[in-house]
Amino acid sequence: MQFRGIYLDLHNDYDCIRLAYKAAYIEFRLTFKRVNLATDANYGLVDLVFIDAVVETYLFVLDEAVYNEFKTIDLLYRGRFENGNELAEFDRSGRSLYYISFYSGIELKVFATALIVEF
């Protein structure tokens, strides 16, 4: 992930340690902790904050492997979604759909008007 000229490798250099949805703020947050100390990025914690967020899908299967594999993010991208018979970029509220998946099989789909990174 490239942000403000800084490359963040959330897959290899960081572990996801928390998912939080705050209904009062309509905010969904993923918190990552740096585990690779050899990286150029000197941020111990990185938060991905989805603004005006609506969680469309939250798939979480509990088994022993989930704890060890949950921390590694596999995929994060903003994509199109089916709206009737067409592919759409935004919903009626101006939200985009973000697809998030982890190695463990956890999958999330979050509609949000913006994604910001906090250090």
Side-chain angles (χ1 to χ4, degrees):
M1 166 184 262
Q2 189 81 14
F3 184 76
R4 293 186 187 163
I6 299 166
Y7 178 72
L8 294 172
D9 186 349
L10 296 177
H11 176 80
N12 292 306
D13 297 339
Y14 290 83
D15 284 349
C16 185
I17 60 170
R18 182 175 43 230
L19 285 91
Y21 180 72
K22 296 179 182 177
Y25 298 104
I26 317 172
E27 173 188 286
F28 179 70
R29 182 180 293 257
L30 296 171
T31 302
F32 293 85
K33 180 179 180 181
R34 187 175 74 159
V35 293
N36 181 359
L37 300 179
T39 181
D40 290 336
N42 292 320
Y43 304 106
L45 292 176
V46 174
D47 283 313
L48 299 182
V49 185
F50 298 84
I51 305 300
D52 191 24
V54 175
V55 178
E56 182 200 73
T57 300
Y58 184 83
L59 172 64
F60 190 87
V61 178
L62 294 173
D63 63 24
E64 292 179 20
V66 168
Y67 179 74
N68 290 328
E69 295 297 328
F70 165 72
K71 59 190 176 187
T72 305
I73 194 166
D74 187 38
L75 187 67
L76 168 64
Y77 71 95
R78 184 180 66 83
R80 295 189 288 175
F81 59 95
E82 286 188 38
N83 187 9
N85 292 332
E86 298 179 357
L87 288 177
E89 294 269 341
F90 303 98
D91 69 3
R92 287 184 222 158
S93 299
R95 297 182 184 108
S96 298
L97 184 59
Y98 293 87
Y99 296 86
I100 307 162
S101 64
F102 293 84
Y103 268 10
S104 63
I106 295 171
E107 295 178 5
L108 303 163
K109 292 180 184 174
V110 179
F111 279 97
T113 54
L115 169 61
I116 60 173
V117 179
E118 292 180 354
F119 301 104

